Amino acid sequence: MKKAGILMPVSSLPSRTGVGELGKETYRFIELLKENGVKIWQILPLNPVGYGNSPYQPYSSCAGDELYISLDALCEEGLLEELPPSFREMEKTVDYDAVRAFKEPYLREAFRNFSEKEWLQEEEYQEFASQEWVYEYGVFRALKAANGGVCWNEWKQEDKDWPKKRTELSAEIELEAQYQMFLQYLFYRQWMQVKTAANESGIEIMGDVPFYVGVDSVDVWAGKDNFLLDTDGRPIFIAGVPPDYFSATGQRWGNPIYDWDYMKEKDYQFWVDRIGYSSRLFDIIRIDHFRAFDTFWKIPASCPTAVEGEWIEAPGYEVIDTLKAKIKGLNLVAEDLGDLRPEVLELKDHYQLKGMKVLVFSIETGGKYAYDSFHDVENMIIYTGTHDNDTLMEWYEGLTTAAKRKVRQFLKREGYKQGAVHDRLVAYALDCKAEYAILPMADILGLGKEGHMNTPGTVGSPNWEWRMPGFEEAEKMLKRYRGLIEKR
């Protein structure tokens, strides 16, 4: 069945507090998707963002970022005595540090009220908190704060070793750990309510799981044996990709490389736990950098760029076989962009996983005529663009005058003769034979550079900061494309 979807990070949604959150505006967004026939809502990772505010360098694979907790919902539940004031409500970018500083006192007030009313003893909370990762994450965040916020491999030795020795924590550290666990409970409860509302509206949520985890994460701290680390907990090798379209020196991500031999001994339990938990949160799981299940770029940690490295084969078939055997109803799709060896596509096709086509990459303008270089198939997802490349209009406006003319002629030859170029490109994508057609909200809105989400190989502002302050324009544009969306 053909479906249309929207790629919209939770962080980019409107709200009263300067960042998208799991409150009334998110439910309004879901209703907007329903009204216009959209069947898939794709998001970026929801995990607590780490270095550079990147959702692909999170502190945990399972935890959610407390940034997204709705304060209004806490007030309605009686966990806050007064409704917090508005903060950066109409800003078009997210100031992560400022929003965290604004929300923190209210979240701590909610924790005090939660504790005083003895809700900590409620069965629902106890069941959530009994998951092993929840307490480990709470302790990780508490010890991180106690160690000045530095990466765990720079902590005091006893704190580095806590996952294995489980030494008794001070009362202060234990209280902070309980606070962090409480935040995870709030996030999980609010997110599952959002997911339920989406599902009841006929909308599936596509979550995004990075292939690698951040070095400064509870995943690595509490599971050191799963990674190639030295005795101080520092990566011996790190992940990335060699020189490509995005960077002449490649991308040096800094994530630690997995110890696949150890993981095999443990029947890939790390992956079962990680993907299994994500399958509770999402209906569809997009595996970012799927190609690393086939081969991964292994960079010596001492190298300042990603130029030096080697391709190493990974046990992709064994891992995916294990995931499918142990996780009921698992629905994976593969991010398979870039220069791939044929074995990557064979791996994807073996499991009949949907791969990706990106319109701004597939339309070639270098010859006499523009043409679409990507052969369409049904078992595929077409995107106008992703979070990692130019918006549709940013791409078009960056073309030469001659290339723009070729694109317009290409659209005319394909039968898209009327309307603005932006509208015709959107129509072309929605008419593709791919089973899923997904458009970033910035492309729905026709934004240029101002809607650019991330530039690979760069860190920090303005990456990950784009935000839609209100719904008015989105409502207008979705209504405009409603016929095309429903026709799928």
Side-chain angles (χ1 to χ4, degrees):
M1 177 182 175
K2 285 188 172 183
K3 298 177 181 178
I6 300 293
L7 168 57
M8 180 63 165
V10 171
S11 62
S12 299
L13 285 166
S15 82
R16 294 198 312 113
T17 59
V19 67
E21 58 182 26
L22 306 176
K24 62 182 180 180
E25 291 88 352
T26 300
Y27 292 97
R28 184 178 174 189
F29 179 69
I30 289 170
E31 189 62 29
L32 189 60
L33 298 186
K34 178 184 177 182
E35 289 172 359
N36 291 283
V38 177
K39 299 298 184 184
I40 298 172
W41 174 20
Q42 181 178 335
I43 59 175
L44 297 184
L46 292 171
N47 313 112
V49 299
Y51 184 58
N53 294 316
S54 170
Y56 295 92
Q57 293 282 352
Y59 291 142
S60 167
S61 287
C62 294
D65 200 318
E66 62 271 17
L67 198 72
Y68 304 132
I69 294 171
S70 168
L71 300 183
D72 288 7
L74 300 186
C75 187
E76 290 171 7
E77 290 183 285
L79 288 173
L80 294 179
E81 294 177 7
E82 295 183 0
L83 191 68
S86 296
F87 180 75
R88 291 179 57 86
E89 184 171 2
M90 299 308 294
E91 294 292 331
K92 294 182 179 179
T93 58
V94 178
D95 184 330
Y96 286 88
D97 291 342
V99 173
R100 288 189 193 284
F102 170 76
K103 283 195 166 187
E104 176 76 3
Y106 296 105
L107 294 174
R108 290 196 178 272
E109 177 190 339
F111 177 59
R112 288 193 298 272
N113 291 334
F114 189 80
S115 304
E116 289 170 4
K117 295 178 181 180
E118 297 185 350
W119 290 357
L120 283 168
Q121 306 305 318
E122 283 197 353
E123 185 177 343
E124 183 185 60
Y125 176 78
Q126 288 297 318
E127 182 180 348
F128 175 82
S130 67
Q131 299 173 95
E132 185 177 12
W133 75 263
V134 177
Y135 186 57
E136 285 182 343
Y137 176 75
V139 174
F140 173 80
R141 289 296 299 268
L143 291 177
K144 185 173 180 63
N147 282 276
V150 298
C151 183
W152 68 266
N153 53 30
E154 297 179 32
W155 295 356
K156 294 184 298 184
Q157 192 62 45
E158 64 183 272
D159 294 344
K160 282 187 188 181
D161 296 339
W162 186 88
K164 285 191 175 180
K165 297 184 177 180
R166 301 280 171 145
T167 52
E168 186 175 352
L169 300 170
S170 69
E172 183 180 1
I173 296 294
E174 181 64 37
L175 181 63
E176 180 65 17
Q178 292 295 327
Y179 167 64
Q180 294 294 335
M181 294 167 66
F182 163 73
L183 295 182
Q184 288 310 303
Y185 171 64
L186 293 183
F187 171 87
Y188 177 78
R189 191 172 54 161
Q190 289 190 3
W191 172 252
M192 293 307 289
Q193 289 168 352
V194 165
K195 180 179 182 295
T196 297
N199 292 165
E200 289 177 350
S201 296
I203 297 165
E204 295 175 289
I205 293 180
M206 184 188 295
D208 196 327
V209 174
F211 184 84
Y212 292 109
V213 299
V215 63
D216 191 15
S217 68
V218 65
D219 305 83
V220 182
W221 172 69
K224 301 178 185 68
D225 292 338
N226 291 305
F227 304 89
L228 298 177
L229 309 174
D230 64 19
T231 53
D232 290 326
R234 290 177 170 78
I236 303 170
F237 299 95
I238 55 174
V241 290
D244 60 6
Y245 171 87
F246 290 114
S247 172
T249 57
Q251 297 176 43
R252 187 185 185 279
W253 298 333
N255 308 77
I257 295 291
Y258 295 118
D259 185 339
W260 286 113
D261 292 336
Y262 176 83
M263 286 187 164
K264 182 173 183 176
E265 291 175 12
K266 299 300 181 181
D267 202 18
Y268 304 108
Q269 193 60 44
F270 174 89
W271 280 94
V272 173
D273 291 342
R274 189 173 179 228
I275 301 300
Y277 188 73
S278 293
S279 70
R280 291 164 56 183
L281 303 181
F282 314 120
D283 303 296
I284 307 166
I285 298 174
R286 172 189 180 273
I287 301 292
D288 187 68
H289 196 54
F290 175 82
R291 69 142 311 141
F293 273 128
D294 171 67
T295 47
F296 58 92
W297 190 241
K298 186 179 181 182
I299 308 165
S302 58
C303 295
T305 71
V307 172
E308 295 181 46
E310 59 179 329
W311 287 112
I312 305 294
E313 290 193 1
Y317 288 94
E318 288 185 7
V319 178
I320 298 174
D321 281 345
T322 302
L323 295 176
K324 285 189 163 290
K326 294 191 174 184
I327 303 172
K328 185 178 180 181
L330 183 62
N331 187 358
L332 300 177
V333 299
E335 183 272 291
D336 59 346
L337 302 175
D339 186 16
L340 308 176
R341 71 177 196 156
E343 288 85 348
V344 181
L345 303 180
E346 290 171 10
L347 175 65
K348 179 199 71 175
D349 292 342
H350 177 79
Y351 296 100
Q352 298 181 314
L353 305 181
K354 289 178 176 62
M356 294 173 54
K357 167 183 176 176
V358 178
L359 196 59
V360 298
F361 291 158
S362 69
I363 296 182
E364 296 286 349
T365 61
K368 185 175 182 181
Y369 303 103
Y371 67 99
D372 190 339
S373 64
F374 198 108
H375 174 63
D376 290 348
V377 296
E378 289 184 10
N379 192 35
M380 181 182 76
I381 308 172
I382 182 171
Y383 292 84
T384 49
T386 75
H387 63 276
D388 272 343
N389 54 262
D390 293 348
T391 66
L392 196 55
M393 291 312 296
E394 186 180 9
W395 165 78
Y396 179 74
E397 293 300 335
L399 297 175
T400 65
T401 300
K404 288 178 183 176
R405 183 176 65 251
K406 292 175 190 177
V407 169
R408 293 193 299 271
Q409 290 171 342
F410 161 75
L411 290 168
K412 191 173 183 180
R413 289 197 310 272
E414 293 293 323
Y416 303 92
K417 301 177 181 179
Q418 303 297 322
V421 171
H422 170 254
D423 291 339
R424 287 188 278 164
L425 286 166
V426 168
Y428 178 77
L430 288 172
D431 283 344
C432 174
K433 70 167 64 173
E435 189 173 337
Y436 297 168
I438 296 180
L439 284 65
M441 180 54 75
D443 283 350
I444 289 284
L445 297 174
L447 299 180
K449 186 177 180 179
E450 70 275 19
H452 194 114
M453 195 66 182
N454 177 57
T455 301
T458 66
V459 178
S461 185
N463 291 337
W464 315 113
E465 293 177 356
W466 175 71
R467 179 167 175 261
M468 184 177 77
F471 284 107
E472 184 176 349
E473 192 66 17
E475 288 176 346
K476 182 175 77 174
M477 295 305 290
L478 280 171
K479 186 176 181 180
R480 182 161 151 183
Y481 296 133
R482 180 175 178 175
L484 290 168
I485 290 171
E486 290 182 333
K487 192 170 74 172
R488 288 188 63 80

Short mmCIF file of all heavy atoms in Angstrom, two decimals, residues 149 273 440:
data_model
loop_
_atom_site.label_atom_id
_atom_site.label_comp_id
_atom_site.label_asym_id
_atom_site.label_seq_id
_atom_site.Cartn_x
_atom_site.Cartn_y
_atom_site.Cartn_z
N GLY A 149 30.53 17.04 34.33
CA GLY A 149 29.97 16.94 32.99
C GLY A 149 30.93 16.40 31.94
O GLY A 149 30.56 16.34 30.76
N ASP A 273 18.54 -5.91 22.80
CA ASP A 273 18.00 -4.99 23.80
C ASP A 273 17.72 -3.62 23.18
O ASP A 273 16.66 -3.02 23.42
CB ASP A 273 18.99 -4.83 24.96
CG ASP A 273 19.13 -6.10 25.79
OD1 ASP A 273 18.24 -6.98 25.69
OD2 ASP A 273 20.14 -6.22 26.52
N PRO A 440 10.37 16.06 4.01
CA PRO A 440 10.66 16.87 5.20
C PRO A 440 9.70 18.05 5.28
O PRO A 440 9.32 18.61 4.25
CB PRO A 440 12.10 17.34 4.95
CG PRO A 440 12.67 16.38 3.96
CD PRO A 440 11.51 15.97 3.10
#
